[in-house]
Amino acid sequence: YVEGGNERTLAHMDTWRITDVEEFRRSGLEEYLEAFDIVIIEWADKYFHEIEEMVQKNGGEVVKISFEYLSPTERKVSVYES
């Protein structure tokens, strides 16, 4: 996509089915972080420490977004920068 005249690349990863740290490390996330501008990771809390290490190693930043269920038609969205 294009943002402010600059072409940006977005990647998505879901860690829900990853069962342990070794599988997580083999997931390809590090390659995503090296190759893409923005990586969205669902269920990141499972491996947050590892993600934070990888992001810092690649000179990026972590922005955590959480969704809280309030009702069938409402959610609370919170954004945290580290």
Side-chain angles (χ1 to χ4, degrees):
Y1 71 95
V2 177
E3 175 187 44
N6 298 317
E7 189 171 315
R8 306 290 303 263
T9 305
L10 175 71
H12 169 264
M13 180 178 188
D14 188 338
T15 64
W16 177 253
R17 295 182 189 261
I18 295 177
T19 58
D20 59 47
V21 173
E22 287 308 310
E23 182 180 4
F24 173 77
R25 292 191 188 282
R26 293 188 312 267
S27 69
L29 176 60
E30 193 122 31
E31 289 79 14
Y32 277 134
L33 294 172
E34 292 170 357
F36 296 96
D37 290 324
I38 299 170
V39 179
I40 297 172
I41 305 169
E42 290 185 72
W43 301 100
D45 288 350
K46 290 176 66 177
Y47 302 102
F48 189 76
H49 179 71
E50 291 81 2
I51 291 167
E52 204 166 43
E53 283 180 3
M54 288 180 182
V55 169
Q56 289 173 354
K57 178 181 171 185
N58 286 287
E61 80 176 276
V62 173
V63 177
K64 183 177 180 182
I65 302 171
S66 66
F67 296 85
E68 181 182 347
Y69 176 89
L70 300 177
S71 76
T73 59
E74 295 177 294
R75 304 293 184 276
K76 178 182 176 186
V77 178
S78 301
V79 178
Y80 311 91
E81 293 186 49
S82 59

